[in-house]
Amino acid sequence: MREAKTDKTTRQRVADRLREGAMPAGAIAREFEIEASAAISHVEHIAQSLEHTDEQLLVAPPTCRDCGFDDFDDLLNRPGRCPECKSESVDEPTFRIE
């Protein structure tokens, strides 16, 4: 664990962590001991809460490790396979706050 329990919500702690550096949803889930779907939900809500600030959520899209394809329709979720080469070696998208 990176930090002890605080008065901050999980979402606030996730946002603080994304300010430190980029992370994929799977790593967020492991670090904060939540399901990957909950990590994605937190990221979506964090993006909304940043709309009226000078910060923004940056998303590096999922990328196929075999052919380099990165033009996936859904930037938040990791696809099962690459639509170009059909490989299942696809990296998760990563998120960070700047």
Side-chain angles (χ1 to χ4, degrees):
M1 281 256 118
R2 291 185 59 82
E3 61 185 68
K5 286 271 188 190
T6 66
D7 290 337
K8 291 184 176 185
T9 65
T10 299
R11 187 167 296 153
Q12 289 168 328
R13 292 184 298 127
V14 169
D16 288 346
R17 179 62 182 85
L18 294 179
R19 287 180 180 97
E20 294 174 12
M23 291 184 79
I28 294 169
R30 285 186 299 279
E31 184 167 325
F32 293 96
E33 298 177 349
I34 57 177
E35 296 292 323
S37 60
I40 293 290
S41 177
H42 284 309
V43 168
E44 291 172 335
H45 283 91
I46 289 166
Q48 290 176 354
S49 67
L50 294 175
E51 285 181 5
H52 302 291
T53 71
D54 60 349
E55 294 180 304
Q56 60 182 334
L57 179 77
L58 302 177
V59 180
T63 305
C64 177
R65 284 183 241 142
D66 290 340
C67 75
F69 182 82
D70 67 357
D71 193 26
F72 292 93
D73 294 333
D74 183 356
L75 296 182
L76 295 183
N77 293 299
R78 179 180 175 198
R81 70 172 74 195
C82 174
E84 287 291 307
C85 72
K86 308 302 182 210
S87 170
E88 293 182 6
S89 296
V90 179
D91 288 329
E92 290 183 83
T94 57
F95 311 99
R96 70 184 166 103
I97 295 175
E98 258 188 24

